[in-house]
């Protein structure tokens, strides 16, 4: 039984391992040039706080021992879902089952003046992390566009590397998708105290090239931020390129059922590229790994006519800790008319806030800054697990 896994990130590697454990011969295709790595650690690599090798999921021998053939620098160009034929430089063959695990692509905003040659980048691959590593150095002026979790982590790590980061966020507060006003206010103070200049309610309108390879960003209030490098971190969207070319149904991502199968028998999707019918898309390493495991096992089961197992989504969760700044959040951010915050701490520690978000009587979110005490218990209570 031969199974192909297209994309070797968190979902792809777990899918390959699960299919191999069920006795399949697995081809794992990656369009990157390095062995699969933990993508969330790229920020530490970019800021010189982790070595690339330390981010690898497994050494080469691990894959060989499991009977997984890893094909690096091998983008799959063509896929036919009816015959499950995969075409790339390594092969042109039909497989018993296929897992699409193509991940997501960073969103690139349209900003005037953003042209080749300007030091304005995204951070999504090891290649980009290594390019940034030469630029996020002591004293470097680093502009981070986007005050979500990746932007905040990038700015905090840049500050820890001795750089001078500025975060420009369009919305009124940092991490607005994850936390409400109370937690965001405390987080803002702590991120600023860590050496990050934060500009909320601001957007970058235009870039201008400066001498010595620097760039000036002109903001919507006319103010300017000069930077040696700018990192754009405003989110990602599922990489639907291959699926759409193959005629597989997509919405925001590749649409899958509870067994992570597309409408094409034997064609599964997992991770950032996938969208469970009736749900939104998610960008989460943890969820990608969990889905990969099930998709790989189901691909093998489907190829041998065994029963498929359903996938249950875990609650989305945020955990960010860099130096003295730590924030944890799960569920709804709150802030709506029907929401109410209930503090779990007595407010006596100025660096700590632990709270529940309630809608009516129901707990719909948990947020903690400066402490994780009681977080897991509160999440269990809320999700009823
Ligand atoms: C800097 C950074 C920090 C992050 N931090 C966190 C975090 O703290 N917590 C968290 O939960 N999530 C985090 N994320 C998001 C997380 O990394 C993703 O949700 C996760 O990587 C998704 O896994 P995946 O396997 O679906 O996709 P990916 O890891 O993106 O892997 C997909 C792979 O498929 C390859 N591919 C695409 N098309 C083809 C093709 N046609 N042929 C062959 N290969 C192909 C891609 O190049 C890529 O290597 C972070 C992401 C980034 C970039």
């Amino acid at each position: 039984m031969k199974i192909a896994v297209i994309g070797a990130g968190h979902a792809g590697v777990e899918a390959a391992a699960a299919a191999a454990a069920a006795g399949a011969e697995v081809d794992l295709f990656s369009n990157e040039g390095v062995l699969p790595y933990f993508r969330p650690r790229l920020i530490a690599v970019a800021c010189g706080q982790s070595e690339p090798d330390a981010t690898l999921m497994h050494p080469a021998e691990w894959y060989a021992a499991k009977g997984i053939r890893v094909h690096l620098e091998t983008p799959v160009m063509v896929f036919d879902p009816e015959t499950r034929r995969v075409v790339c430089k390594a092969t042109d063959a039909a497989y018993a089952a296929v897992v699409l695990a193509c991940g997501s692509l960073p969103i690139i905003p349209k900003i005037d003046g953003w042209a080749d040659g300007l030091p304005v980048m995204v951070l999504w691959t090891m290649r980009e992390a290594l390019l940034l590593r030469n630029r996020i150095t002591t004293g470097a002026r680093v502009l981070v566009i986007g005050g979500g979790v990746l932007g905040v982590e990038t700015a905090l790590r840049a500050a820890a590397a001795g750089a001078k980061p500025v975060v420009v966020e369009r919305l009124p507060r940092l991490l607005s998708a994850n936390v409400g006003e109370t937690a965001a206010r405390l987080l803002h103070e702590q991120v600023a105290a860590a050496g990050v200049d934060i500009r909320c309610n601001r957007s970058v309108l235009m870039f201008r090239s400066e001498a010595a390879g620097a760039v000036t960003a002109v903001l919507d209030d006319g103010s300017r931020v000069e930077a040696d490098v700018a990192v754009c971190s405003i989110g990602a969207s599922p990489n639907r390129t291959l699926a759409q070319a193959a005629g597989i149904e997509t919405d925001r991502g590749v649409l899958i059922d509870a067994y992570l199968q597309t409408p094409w028998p034997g064609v599964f999707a997992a991770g950032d590229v996938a969208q469970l019918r009736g749900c939104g898309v998610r960008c989460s390493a943890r969820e990608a790994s969990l889905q990969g495991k099930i998709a790989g096992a189901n691909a093998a089961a489907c190829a041998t006519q065994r029963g498929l197992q359903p996938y249950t989504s875990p609650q989305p969760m945020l955990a960010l800790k860099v130096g003295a700044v730590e924030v944890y959040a799960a569920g709804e951010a709150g802030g709506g008319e029907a929401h109410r915050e209930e503090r779990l701490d007595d407010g006596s520690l100025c660096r700590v806030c632990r709270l529940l978000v309630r809608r009516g009587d129901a707990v719909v979110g948990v947020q903690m800054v400066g402490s994780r005490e009681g977080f897991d218990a509160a999440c269990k209570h809320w999700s009823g697990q």
Side-chain angles (χ1 to χ4, degrees), residues 5-191:
V5 179
I6 304 175
H10 293 259
V13 169
E14 288 297 342
E25 248 182 80
V26 181
D27 281 317
L28 176 60
F29 299 104
S30 171
N31 60 5
E32 297 193 59
V34 287
L35 281 173
Y37 52 86
F38 290 103
R39 201 167 293 278
R41 297 209 196 139
L42 289 182
I43 300 173
V45 172
C47 297
Q49 290 147 9
S50 175
E51 292 307 312
D53 280 355
T55 67
L56 294 185
M57 291 183 193
H58 306 287
E61 309 80 61
W62 183 89
Y63 298 94
K66 294 200 170 318
I68 300 170
R69 284 184 296 262
V70 185
H71 305 273
L72 298 180
E73 287 184 318
T74 308
V76 170
M77 327 287 272
V78 176
F79 172 57
D80 176 1
E82 192 169 358
T83 56
R84 296 181 295 278
R85 175 174 164 236
V86 170
V87 182
C88 59
K89 71 177 184 193
T91 189
D92 178 346
Y95 287 82
V98 173
V99 179
L100 299 174
C102 303
S104 47
L105 295 171
I107 295 170
I108 314 270
K110 287 198 181 7
I111 297 177
D112 279 354
W114 186 345
D116 285 352
L118 271 194
V120 183
M121 302 178 54
V122 291
L123 172 52
W124 206 261
T125 62
M126 182 62 81
R127 201 183 128 267
E128 288 153 355
L130 294 175
L131 287 172
L132 278 166
R133 195 175 163 100
N134 294 323
R135 292 182 174 266
I136 302 180
T137 49
T138 309
R141 298 163 302 171
V142 178
L143 166 63
V144 179
I145 303 168
V149 59
L150 303 195
V152 169
E153 180 175 347
T154 303
L156 285 169
R157 288 197 179 277
K164 297 177 190 154
V166 178
V167 172
V168 174
E169 165 57 48
R170 188 171 53 87
L171 295 173
R173 55 179 192 256
L174 299 177
L175 264 56
S176 54
N178 310 93
V179 298
E181 239 173 80
T182 308
R185 206 175 314 120
L186 188 58
L187 181 73
H188 189 112
E189 283 171 25
Q190 296 184 8
V191 173

Side-chain angles (χ1 to χ4, degrees), residues 7 37 39 43 48 84 134 160 178 198 215 260 277 283 285 289 341-342 365:
Y37 52 86
R39 201 167 293 278
I43 300 173
R84 296 181 295 278
N134 294 323
N178 310 93
I198 305 164
V215 66
L260 310 188
R277 257 175 217 284
C283 184
S289 299
E341 290 182 348
E342 178 184 321

Side-chain angles (χ1 to χ4, degrees), residues 132-288:
L132 278 166
R133 195 175 163 100
N134 294 323
R135 292 182 174 266
I136 302 180
T137 49
T138 309
R141 298 163 302 171
V142 178
L143 166 63
V144 179
I145 303 168
V149 59
L150 303 195
V152 169
E153 180 175 347
T154 303
L156 285 169
R157 288 197 179 277
K164 297 177 190 154
V166 178
V167 172
V168 174
E169 165 57 48
R170 188 171 53 87
L171 295 173
R173 55 179 192 256
L174 299 177
L175 264 56
S176 54
N178 310 93
V179 298
E181 239 173 80
T182 308
R185 206 175 314 120
L186 188 58
L187 181 73
H188 189 112
E189 283 171 25
Q190 296 184 8
V191 173
V196 179
D197 177 351
I198 305 164
R199 319 268 178 99
C200 285
N201 277 318
R202 293 276 75 89
S203 309
V204 175
L205 282 190
M206 182 196 306
F207 287 121
R208 277 210 322 244
S209 174
E210 298 293 345
V215 66
T216 293
V218 181
L219 308 192
D220 54 354
D221 62 347
S223 62
R224 281 143 215 268
V225 178
E226 281 187 26
D228 299 301
V229 64
V231 186
C232 183
S233 189
I234 62 164
S237 63
N239 177 0
R240 299 171 299 178
T241 316
L242 186 65
Q244 285 181 330
I248 297 174
E249 193 186 358
T250 59
D251 178 30
R252 290 183 63 201
V254 174
L255 286 168
I256 47 171
D257 63 18
Y259 303 95
L260 310 188
Q261 192 165 212
T262 69
W264 298 90
V267 180
F268 296 80
D272 283 8
V273 75
Q275 180 179 5
L276 283 159
R277 257 175 217 284
C279 302
V281 288
R282 287 190 184 175
C283 184
S284 150
R286 173 168 164 255
E287 181 132 14

